[in-house]
Amino acid sequence: MRLDGKRVVVIGGSSGIGLGRVRLALSLGAYVTIAGRSEDRLSRAAATLKNVPDRLRTVVADMADGQSIQSLFSGESQVDHVFVPAGELRPESADLLTGDIAGMRSILEVRLFGVAHVVRHTKPLMKNGSIVLMSGLYATRPAVGGAMAAAAVAAVEGMTRGLALDLAPIRVNAVAPGLIDTPLWDTFGPQREAILASALKLPVGRAGRPEEIAEAVVFLMTNGFVTGVVLPVDGGGSLV
């Protein structure tokens, strides 16, 4: 699986799963644009990738802001692949019964309408490439108190199948990670260690690594006969 000379855009690529994907794409020969909301985090991400400055571009962009996404893609003459891992699932907004309504709207603004902004501005620049969205294990195995999170990622899966038809021959797929050890869990405070320790119950006996999701995303980008698919990469989490 090679990406030599391909133009890849990763929205939400300054840390965690997105950064893992950026690192792998660069190692496979791609030209990569990382987009994110924080200029500081983008700078720190770029510093860890300093051995390929001629193939790396960083842009401050917010998926909830259509004009911001338009500006991001206006700097691209061609796009071959897009990966959209952006979209936080904050614990205070995950519970439909007690969560913050504004926070819930924010989740959907990025996960659904943000994707709409990306697709609208990607399509004119892409001929036969691919778009990879990100769902999650919650879509099929929701946790108590996580109804809003489950709804958001399940909606992404439905959108994936619909867009695979609407955008053909552009391919649209989604990756559905399970429990992955990323900085996302730092926002859960003292619950972080217990959450990661729960991965010991998985068939593989551990939490996943960002690079393992990155490898799955590369497969979805490079296999030209795969579209409309949601690929679980969850260490067997969907089985237990």
Side-chain angles (χ1 to χ4, degrees):
M1 297 186 293
R2 295 292 304 177
L3 292 167
D4 294 301
K6 299 297 184 182
R7 303 281 175 171
V8 177
V9 178
V10 181
I11 303 174
S14 61
S15 66
I17 289 173
L19 184 57
R21 174 67 190 91
V22 169
R23 187 171 286 111
L24 182 57
L26 288 168
S27 74
L28 296 175
Y31 289 81
V32 181
T33 296
I34 312 175
R37 291 177 299 177
S38 167
E39 186 170 1
D40 179 60
R41 289 176 65 179
L42 287 169
S43 297
R44 281 187 276 132
T48 70
L49 304 164
K50 56 187 176 183
N51 57 322
V52 285
D54 59 320
R55 291 191 284 115
L56 179 66
R57 173 175 173 252
T58 62
V59 179
V60 176
D62 183 353
M63 277 187 61
D65 180 350
Q67 286 191 325
S68 176
I69 296 300
Q70 182 178 15
S71 296
L72 163 64
F73 285 100
S74 69
E76 305 286 341
S77 58
Q78 172 188 331
V79 176
D80 296 299
H81 303 288
V82 175
F83 177 40
V84 189
E88 297 178 355
L89 295 175
R90 295 185 295 274
E92 67 272 15
S93 303
D95 190 329
L96 194 64
L97 299 178
T98 62
D100 172 62
I101 294 294
M104 293 181 194
R105 292 183 188 278
S106 176
I107 290 172
L108 296 180
E109 192 67 40
V110 173
R111 292 266 174 176
L112 300 183
F113 301 109
V115 169
H117 293 315
V118 170
V119 168
R120 288 183 175 188
H121 295 295
T122 297
K123 191 176 185 297
L125 301 173
M126 185 180 286
K127 295 180 180 178
N128 268 320
S130 73
I131 298 171
V132 181
L133 307 179
M134 193 164 79
S135 173
L137 185 59
Y138 266 19
T140 54
R141 297 295 300 273
V144 174
M148 194 63 201
V153 291
V156 169
E157 296 192 359
M159 184 179 289
T160 297
R161 290 183 281 268
L163 287 174
L165 297 175
D166 291 347
L167 299 182
I170 294 171
R171 295 178 299 103
V172 183
N173 296 291
V175 63
L179 184 57
I180 309 299
D181 189 356
T182 74
L184 168 67
W185 300 113
D186 294 343
T187 64
F188 284 69
Q191 301 176 52
R192 179 184 186 279
E193 293 307 317
I195 291 170
L196 294 177
S198 69
L200 296 174
K201 300 176 183 178
L202 295 174
V204 298
R206 61 173 177 82
R209 297 184 292 269
E211 56 266 30
E212 291 170 317
I213 306 304
E215 290 164 1
V217 173
V218 169
F219 165 74
L220 293 173
M221 287 182 173
T222 57
N223 191 311
F225 204 57
V226 178
T227 193
V229 165
V230 178
L231 178 62
V233 188
D234 58 19
S238 54
L239 304 176
V240 297

